[in-house]
Amino acid sequence: NAGVTQTPKFRILKIGQSMTLQCAQDMNHNYMYWYRQDPGMGLKLIYYSVGAGITDKGEVPNGYNVSRSTTEDFPLRLELAAPSQTSVYFCASSPNYGYTFGSGTRLTVV
Amino acid sequence: GQQVMQIPQYQHVQEGEDFTTYCNSSTTLSNIQWYKQRPGGHPVFLIQLVKSGEVKKQKRLTFQFGEAKKNSSLHITATQTTDVGTYFCAALNDYKLSFGAGTTVTVRA
């Protein structure tokens, strides 16, 4: 039981490049989330999903896209990376309450 | 989402002392959760509070939900170096958590 697995752990992108942050959970949780955390700040919700095939925007969705084709996977797509997207990205899953977070992806856009 | 404010932003504590961190909302909360994030780590779920006036304990940590369900507190007794990290409260609304900015705790040995 690995919990929530995020890949990659670190990535440097150039402005305008695109990438996908991977997130997978093996706990059969319906709810999955993407948050970003800027230095010294709390977590801001980007997108979330309440089940396979269902996604919705959070507080800060601009510049990102998600899909949820299976219960297990919830990838986050960054199109046309910008310096403002430099952050630590956390994926989380939940059965109802009590999120389980992945170890995060530290992304730098230069 | 519902906004929660945490105070203080930073807490510097002498090892062995007690401290309290607070979480406040302008609206009534149905559910408040607490998380701990160690430096360089990811948030880890500590507790959920749902009832007015609820008090829950985990060893040296005491969590309380206010009678009006607009505030919550985390009290740590006999602080240890293992308590270092950032403590977040978060309000649950429509399956989504809105996090406070956190209280970052450092411990002087």
Side-chain angles (χ1 to χ4, degrees), chain A residues 31 33 35 37 40-43 45 48 50 90 96-99 101-103, chain B residues 9 31 33 35 37 41-43 45 48 88 92 94-97 99-101:
Chain A
Y31 305 107
Y33 309 85
Y35 285 85
Q37 184 176 35
M41 305 291 286
L43 293 94
L45 182 63
Y48 68 101
V50 300
F90 289 104
N96 185 14
Y97 72 90
Y99 287 14
F101 282 86
S103 58
Chain B
Q9 185 176 3
N31 174 311
Q33 299 181 20
Y35 291 76
Q37 184 177 25
H42 59 276
F45 173 70
Q48 173 177 265
F88 293 100
L92 185 68
D94 287 338
Y95 316 113
K96 299 169 291 183
L97 280 179
F99 284 81

Coordinates of all heavy atoms in Angstrom, one line a residue, chain A residues 31 33 35 37 40-43 45 48 50 90 96-99 101-103, chain B residues 9 31 33 35 37 41-43 45 48 88 92 94-97 99-101:
Chain A
Y31 N -12.2 10.8 -3.8 CA -11.8 12.3 -4.0 C -10.3 12.4 -4.1 O -9.5 11.9 -3.4 CB -12.3 13.0 -2.7 CG -13.8 12.8 -2.4 CD1 -14.2 12.0 -1.3 CD2 -14.7 13.4 -3.2 CE1 -15.5 11.8 -1.0 CE2 -16.1 13.2 -2.9 CZ -16.4 12.4 -1.8 OH -17.8 12.2 -1.6
Y33 N -7.3 15.6 -5.2 CA -7.1 17.1 -5.2 C -5.6 17.4 -5.7 O -4.7 16.6 -5.4 CB -7.2 17.6 -3.8 CG -8.5 17.2 -3.1 CD1 -8.6 16.0 -2.5 CD2 -9.6 18.0 -3.2 CE1 -9.8 15.6 -1.8 CE2 -10.8 17.6 -2.6 CZ -10.9 16.4 -1.9 OH -12.1 16.0 -1.3
Y35 N -3.1 20.7 -5.0 CA -2.8 21.9 -4.4 C -1.4 22.4 -4.8 O -0.5 21.7 -5.1 CB -2.8 21.8 -2.8 CG -4.2 21.6 -2.2 CD1 -4.8 20.4 -2.1 CD2 -4.8 22.7 -1.7 CE1 -6.0 20.2 -1.5 CE2 -6.1 22.6 -1.1 CZ -6.7 21.3 -1.0 OH -7.9 21.2 -0.4
Q37 N 1.7 25.0 -3.2 CA 2.2 25.7 -1.9 C 3.3 26.6 -2.3 O 4.4 26.1 -2.7 CB 2.5 24.7 -0.9 CG 2.9 25.3 0.5 CD 3.2 24.3 1.5 OE1 3.8 23.2 1.3 NE2 2.9 24.6 2.8
G40 N 6.3 29.7 2.5 CA 5.7 30.4 3.6 C 4.2 30.6 3.6 O 3.7 31.3 4.4
M41 N 3.6 29.9 2.6 CA 2.2 30.1 2.4 C 1.4 28.8 2.7 O 2.0 27.7 2.8 CB 1.9 30.6 1.0 CG 2.6 31.8 0.6 SD 2.0 33.3 1.4 CE 0.5 33.5 0.6
G42 N 0.1 28.9 2.8 CA -0.7 27.8 2.9 C -0.9 27.1 1.6 O -0.2 27.4 0.6
L43 N -1.8 26.2 1.5 CA -2.1 25.4 0.3 C -3.3 26.0 -0.5 O -4.3 26.3 0.2 CB -2.3 24.0 0.6 CG -1.1 23.2 1.1 CD1 -1.1 23.2 2.6 CD2 -1.1 21.8 0.6
L45 N -6.0 25.4 -3.6 CA -6.6 24.3 -4.4 C -6.6 24.7 -5.9 O -7.1 25.8 -6.2 CB -8.0 24.0 -3.9 CG -8.8 22.9 -4.6 CD1 -8.1 21.6 -4.4 CD2 -10.2 22.9 -4.1
Y48 N -9.9 19.7 -8.4 CA -10.3 18.5 -7.6 C -11.2 17.6 -8.4 O -11.8 18.0 -9.4 CB -10.9 18.9 -6.3 CG -12.3 19.6 -6.4 CD1 -13.5 18.8 -6.1 CD2 -12.4 20.9 -6.7 CE1 -14.7 19.4 -6.2 CE2 -13.7 21.5 -6.8 CZ -14.8 20.8 -6.5 OH -16.0 21.4 -6.6
V50 N -14.3 14.4 -7.7 CA -15.1 13.6 -6.8 C -15.2 12.1 -7.3 O -15.9 11.3 -6.6 CB -16.4 14.2 -6.5 CG1 -16.2 15.6 -5.9 CG2 -17.3 14.3 -7.7
F90 N 1.2 19.6 -4.5 CA 0.8 18.4 -3.8 C -0.5 17.8 -4.3 O -1.4 18.5 -4.5 CB 0.6 18.7 -2.3 CG 1.9 19.0 -1.5 CD1 2.2 20.3 -1.2 CD2 2.7 18.0 -1.1 CE1 3.4 20.6 -0.5 CE2 3.9 18.2 -0.4 CZ 4.2 19.6 -0.1
N96 N -13.3 10.5 2.4 CA -14.4 11.4 2.8 C -13.9 12.6 3.6 O -14.2 13.7 3.3 CB -15.5 10.6 3.6 CG -16.7 11.5 3.9 OD1 -16.9 12.6 3.3 ND2 -17.5 11.1 4.9
Y97 N -13.0 12.3 4.6 CA -12.3 13.3 5.3 C -10.9 12.8 5.6 O -10.7 11.6 5.6 CB -13.1 13.7 6.6 CG -13.0 12.7 7.7 CD1 -11.9 12.7 8.6 CD2 -13.9 11.7 7.8 CE1 -11.9 11.8 9.6 CE2 -13.9 10.8 8.8 CZ -12.8 10.8 9.7 OH -12.8 9.9 10.7
G98 N -10.0 13.7 6.0 CA -8.7 13.3 6.3 C -7.9 13.0 5.0 O -7.9 11.9 4.5
Y99 N -7.3 14.0 4.5 CA -6.6 13.9 3.2 C -5.3 13.1 3.4 O -4.6 13.3 4.5 CB -6.2 15.2 2.6 CG -7.3 16.1 2.0 CD1 -8.6 15.8 2.2 CD2 -6.9 17.2 1.3 CE1 -9.6 16.6 1.6 CE2 -7.9 18.0 0.7 CZ -9.2 17.6 0.9 OH -10.2 18.4 0.3
F101 N -1.7 13.0 1.6 CA -0.9 13.8 0.6 C 0.2 13.0 0.1 O 0.8 12.1 0.8 CB -0.3 15.1 1.3 CG -1.3 16.2 1.4 CD1 -2.1 16.2 2.5 CD2 -1.5 17.2 0.5 CE1 -3.1 17.2 2.7 CE2 -2.4 18.2 0.6 CZ -3.2 18.2 1.7
G102 N 0.6 13.2 -1.2 CA 1.8 12.7 -1.8 C 3.0 13.6 -1.3 O 2.8 14.6 -0.6
S103 N 4.2 13.2 -1.6 CA 5.4 13.8 -1.1 C 5.7 15.1 -1.9 O 6.6 15.8 -1.5 CB 6.6 12.8 -1.2 OG 6.7 12.4 -2.5
Chain B
Q9 N 1.6 33.5 13.2 CA 2.2 33.0 12.0 C 3.5 32.2 12.4 O 3.8 31.1 11.8 CB 2.6 34.1 11.0 CG 3.1 33.5 9.7 CD 3.4 34.6 8.7 OE1 3.2 35.8 9.0 NE2 3.8 34.3 7.5
N31 N -16.8 21.6 9.8 CA -15.8 20.6 10.0 C -14.5 21.4 10.0 O -14.2 22.2 9.1 CB -15.9 19.6 8.8 CG -14.8 18.6 8.8 OD1 -13.7 18.9 8.8 ND2 -15.2 17.4 8.6
Q33 N -10.2 20.6 10.3 CA -9.2 19.6 10.3 C -7.8 20.2 10.6 O -7.6 21.4 10.2 CB -9.1 18.8 9.0 CG -10.4 18.1 8.7 CD -10.4 17.3 7.4 OE1 -9.3 17.0 6.9 NE2 -11.5 17.0 6.8
Y35 N -3.6 19.7 10.3 CA -2.5 19.0 9.6 C -1.1 19.5 10.1 O -1.0 20.6 10.5 CB -2.5 19.2 8.1 CG -3.7 18.5 7.4 CD1 -5.0 19.0 7.5 CD2 -3.5 17.3 6.7 CE1 -6.1 18.4 7.0 CE2 -4.6 16.6 6.1 CZ -5.9 17.2 6.3 OH -7.0 16.6 5.7
Q37 N 3.0 19.7 8.9 CA 4.0 19.6 7.8 C 5.3 19.8 8.4 O 5.7 20.9 8.8 CB 3.7 20.6 6.7 CG 4.5 20.4 5.5 CD 4.2 21.4 4.4 OE1 3.6 22.5 4.6 NE2 4.5 21.0 3.1
G41 N 8.7 18.5 4.1 CA 7.8 17.4 3.9 C 6.4 17.7 3.4 O 6.2 18.8 2.9
H42 N 5.5 16.8 3.5 CA 4.1 17.0 3.1 C 3.2 17.1 4.3 O 3.5 16.6 5.3 CB 3.7 15.9 2.1 CG 3.8 14.6 2.7 ND1 4.9 13.8 2.7 CD2 2.8 13.8 3.2 CE1 4.7 12.6 3.3 NE2 3.4 12.6 3.6
P43 N 2.0 17.7 4.1 CA 1.1 17.8 5.2 C 0.6 16.4 5.6 O 0.3 15.5 4.7 CB -0.1 18.6 4.7 CG 0.5 19.4 3.5 CD 1.6 18.5 2.9
F45 N -2.3 14.4 8.1 CA -3.6 14.6 8.8 C -3.4 14.3 10.3 O -2.8 13.2 10.6 CB -4.6 13.7 8.2 CG -5.9 13.7 8.9 CD1 -6.8 14.8 8.9 CD2 -6.3 12.5 9.6 CE1 -8.0 14.7 9.6 CE2 -7.5 12.5 10.2 CZ -8.4 13.6 10.3
Q48 N -9.8 15.5 13.0 CA -11.0 16.2 12.5 C -11.9 16.5 13.7 O -12.1 15.7 14.6 CB -11.7 15.4 11.5 CG -13.0 16.0 11.1 CD -13.8 15.2 10.0 OE1 -13.6 15.5 8.8 NE2 -14.5 14.2 10.5
F88 N -1.3 23.4 10.2 CA -2.4 24.0 9.4 C -3.7 23.6 9.9 O -3.9 22.4 10.2 CB -2.3 23.6 8.0 CG -1.1 24.1 7.2 CD1 0.0 23.2 7.0 CD2 -1.0 25.4 6.7 CE1 1.1 23.7 6.3 CE2 0.1 25.8 6.0 CZ 1.1 24.9 5.8
L92 N -13.5 22.3 5.9 CA -14.1 21.4 4.9 C -15.4 22.0 4.4 O -16.3 22.2 5.2 CB -14.2 20.0 5.4 CG -14.7 19.0 4.4 CD1 -13.6 18.7 3.3 CD2 -15.1 17.7 5.0
D94 N -18.1 21.2 1.0 CA -18.3 20.6 -0.3 C -17.1 19.7 -0.8 O -16.7 19.9 -1.9 CB -18.6 21.6 -1.4 CG -20.0 22.2 -1.2 OD1 -20.9 21.6 -0.6 OD2 -20.3 23.3 -1.7
Y95 N -16.6 18.9 0.1 CA -15.5 17.9 -0.2 C -14.2 18.6 -0.3 O -13.2 17.9 -0.6 CB -15.8 17.1 -1.4 CG -17.2 16.6 -1.5 CD1 -18.1 17.1 -2.5 CD2 -17.7 15.6 -0.7 CE1 -19.4 16.6 -2.6 CE2 -18.9 15.2 -0.8 CZ -19.8 15.6 -1.7 OH -21.1 15.2 -1.8
K96 N -14.1 19.9 -0.2 CA -12.9 20.6 -0.5 C -12.4 21.3 0.8 O -13.2 21.8 1.6 CB -13.0 21.8 -1.5 CG -13.5 21.3 -2.9 CD -13.9 22.4 -3.7 CE -15.2 23.0 -3.2 NZ -15.6 24.1 -4.1
L97 N -11.1 21.2 1.0 CA -10.5 21.9 2.2 C -9.9 23.2 1.8 O -9.1 23.3 0.8 CB -9.3 21.0 2.8 CG -9.7 19.8 3.7 CD1 -8.5 19.1 4.1 CD2 -10.5 20.3 4.9
F99 N -7.3 25.8 3.4 CA -6.2 25.8 4.4 C -5.9 27.2 4.9 O -5.9 28.2 4.1 CB -5.0 25.2 3.9 CG -5.0 23.7 3.8 CD1 -5.6 23.1 2.7 CD2 -4.4 22.9 4.7 CE1 -5.6 21.7 2.6 CE2 -4.4 21.6 4.6 CZ -5.0 20.9 3.6
G100 N -5.7 27.3 6.2 CA -5.1 28.6 6.7 C -3.6 28.6 6.3 O -3.1 27.7 5.7
A101 N -3.0 29.8 6.6 CA -1.6 30.0 6.2 C -0.6 29.2 7.1 O 0.6 29.1 6.8 CB -1.3 31.5 6.2

